[in-house]
Amino acid sequence: MRVFVSNIIPQPGIRLLEEAGLEITEWTEKRKLAGQELIDICQQYDAFLCVSNTVDAPFLEACKHLKVIALHSVGYDNVDVAAATRLKIPIGNTPDVLSESTAETAFLLMISSARKAFYLHKKILNGQWGFTEPTADLGISLQGKTLGIYGLGKIGYELAKKCVAAYDMKVIYHNRHRNEEAEKAFGAVKVSFEELLQQSDVLSVHTALTSETKGKFNKAAFNLMKPSAIFINTARGGIHNEGDLIEALQNETIWGAGLDVTNPEPMHADNPLLQMPSVAVLPHIGSATVETRSAMAILAARNIIAGVKGERLPNIVNPEVYNSSL
Ligand code: DGY
């Protein structure tokens, strides 16, 4: 059985695939495969370990022979899951293992925005560390402030844990369902979306990109936030409207922002967000630790191994493919 891996992934994943007797080809060029080129390659393989390529309906139709598509990510907004299910192609992902590192990234962005860290670093690089004024470049304290979480699941839980331990922050959240574990652990309080916007000092997004969440943080949402609030997004860039965010920061409708995800990605070097003192931007590195990326590679490899044997994937996005009535 032949497996195509669309980027270089950590060795523990590759080792597992080799030990399972699979023949592996890794794409080593530093450009993302897409469209017909990706189709032409995948048509020669039995399984596809997909590192953030677009898996749309035309791809799936052309590659319906694939026994499994294993994503090297927890998010699957790059995949037309309905089309894969219709074609009975199982899609696997890598849940849970990146909760801690993604929460850590949100925490890093929160402090960096609050203390203008990226901007001040740039000032030193530009030779601008001059006369110190007691009223210049002031940040804001996070102690005892309110953390609002939009989509309190595993990543939001880890962030809340850090914020409560470090700064004794109060936790509010907006979810469809209650998170009783977080309510018990941190006294987290479920609020409406409007209340989340109005009451959060730091508002952090931890939800999937769906038709419901796309563009959710727009002008109307930023207008309801505190002028001292910090907006954090480590989920998907499409959840905020970047033009509206820029305007909200320029007009001082909100105070700061920390982004690990942008729209589009990569962000253009001339984006005004990169010049703003209380903004911190990172290049989508939420899961980028040695430990997390290795764990993701292992989960993706396990999904491939199960898929080529015709077994149920350990982490399946579309379990309906196993429903015989489909
Ligand atoms: C994920 O796993 O979804 C990360 O955001 C990387 O894309």
Side-chain angles (χ1 to χ4, degrees):
M1 290 279 186
R2 305 183 69 215
V3 182
F4 180 64
V5 184
S6 65
N7 204 327
I8 299 168
I9 64 163
Q11 268 308 306
I14 295 294
R15 254 198 314 274
L16 264 188
L17 294 172
E18 283 170 349
E19 282 163 13
L22 298 168
E23 193 185 317
I24 306 150
T25 304
E26 267 185 300
W27 180 255
T28 53
E29 283 184 34
K30 294 202 183 308
R31 65 184 176 90
K32 198 189 267 192
L33 279 168
Q36 193 57 43
E37 192 181 11
L38 183 62
I39 290 175
D40 289 345
I41 293 174
C42 285
Q43 278 177 337
Q44 301 162 47
Y45 291 85
D46 303 291
F48 176 27
L49 199 156
C50 169
V51 189
S52 60
N53 312 81
T54 299
V55 176
D56 54 13
F59 172 90
L60 292 160
E61 287 288 350
C63 295
K64 50 175 168 271
H65 68 285
L66 287 171
K67 294 189 182 320
V68 49
I69 299 176
L71 309 177
H72 194 264
S73 62
V74 63
Y76 47 84
D77 49 287
N78 54 322
V79 179
D80 187 334
V81 176
T85 305
R86 183 168 40 78
L87 294 162
K88 289 200 159 253
I89 305 172
I91 306 290
N93 71 341
T94 63
D96 304 336
V97 293
L98 37 68
S99 303
E100 165 61 31
S101 56
T102 306
E104 186 176 70
T105 305
F107 191 78
L108 165 68
L109 289 169
M110 173 182 76
I111 305 176
S112 303
S113 166
R115 299 302 301 271
K116 307 185 175 180
F118 289 23
Y119 166 77
L120 293 173
H121 179 78
K122 258 188 300 182
K123 270 180 90 169
I124 299 173
L125 289 176
N126 293 337
Q128 292 170 315
W129 185 355
F131 178 64
T132 302
E133 299 165 67
T135 56
D137 296 328
L138 302 187
I140 49 179
S141 167
L142 294 164
Q143 188 65 35
K145 296 278 168 74
T146 297
L147 169 70
I149 298 183
Y150 181 69
L152 178 49
K154 295 197 171 106
I155 300 173
Y157 187 95
E158 289 301 326
L159 177 64
K161 190 156 84 183
K162 290 182 197 313
C163 291
V164 170
Y167 298 119
D168 200 17
M169 289 174 84
K170 295 181 206 58
V171 181
I172 58 176
Y173 70 100
H174 180 70
N175 273 18
R176 220 173 298 144
H177 303 291
R178 276 179 65 190
N179 186 324
E180 290 180 32
E181 200 187 342
E183 291 182 7
K184 211 178 283 165
F186 317 118
V189 177
K190 184 170 182 285
V191 295
S192 68
F193 184 56
E194 285 69 28
E195 288 167 330
L196 187 85
L197 295 168
Q198 288 161 345
Q199 294 173 23
S200 299
D201 294 304
V202 176
L203 198 163
S204 195
V205 176
H206 298 286
T207 188
L209 174 63
T210 63
S211 52
E212 194 192 326
T213 63
K214 190 166 182 223
K216 184 86 180 168
F217 290 86
N218 55 14
K219 188 178 172 117
F222 294 128
N223 279 343
L224 286 180
M225 289 174 68
K226 296 183 184 182
S228 54
I230 296 174
F231 173 75
I232 306 287
N233 191 356
T234 54
R236 284 294 181 266
I239 299 171
H240 66 258
N241 178 312
E242 208 139 287
D244 290 355
L245 176 62
I246 291 170
E247 206 182 297
L249 288 158
Q250 280 168 340
N251 298 343
E252 299 181 9
T253 306
I254 65 170
W255 192 84
L259 306 176
D260 186 43
V261 289
T262 62
N263 190 12
E265 286 180 13
M267 177 182 266
H268 258 277
D270 62 1
N271 190 305
L273 288 168
L274 297 170
Q275 302 306 327
M276 295 184 187
S278 46
V279 172
V281 183
L282 289 170
H284 203 147
I285 51 93
S287 62
T289 66
V290 172
E291 294 82 355
T292 299
R293 287 278 165 86
S294 296
M296 290 166 71
I298 288 170
L299 291 194
R302 286 190 186 140
N303 278 334
I304 291 280
I305 293 165
V308 295
K309 288 188 196 155
E311 292 170 3
R312 187 187 174 94
L313 310 193
N315 290 292
I316 178 87
V317 168
N318 54 345
E320 303 81 11
V321 291
Y322 301 118
N323 183 344
S324 55
S325 67
L326 255 189

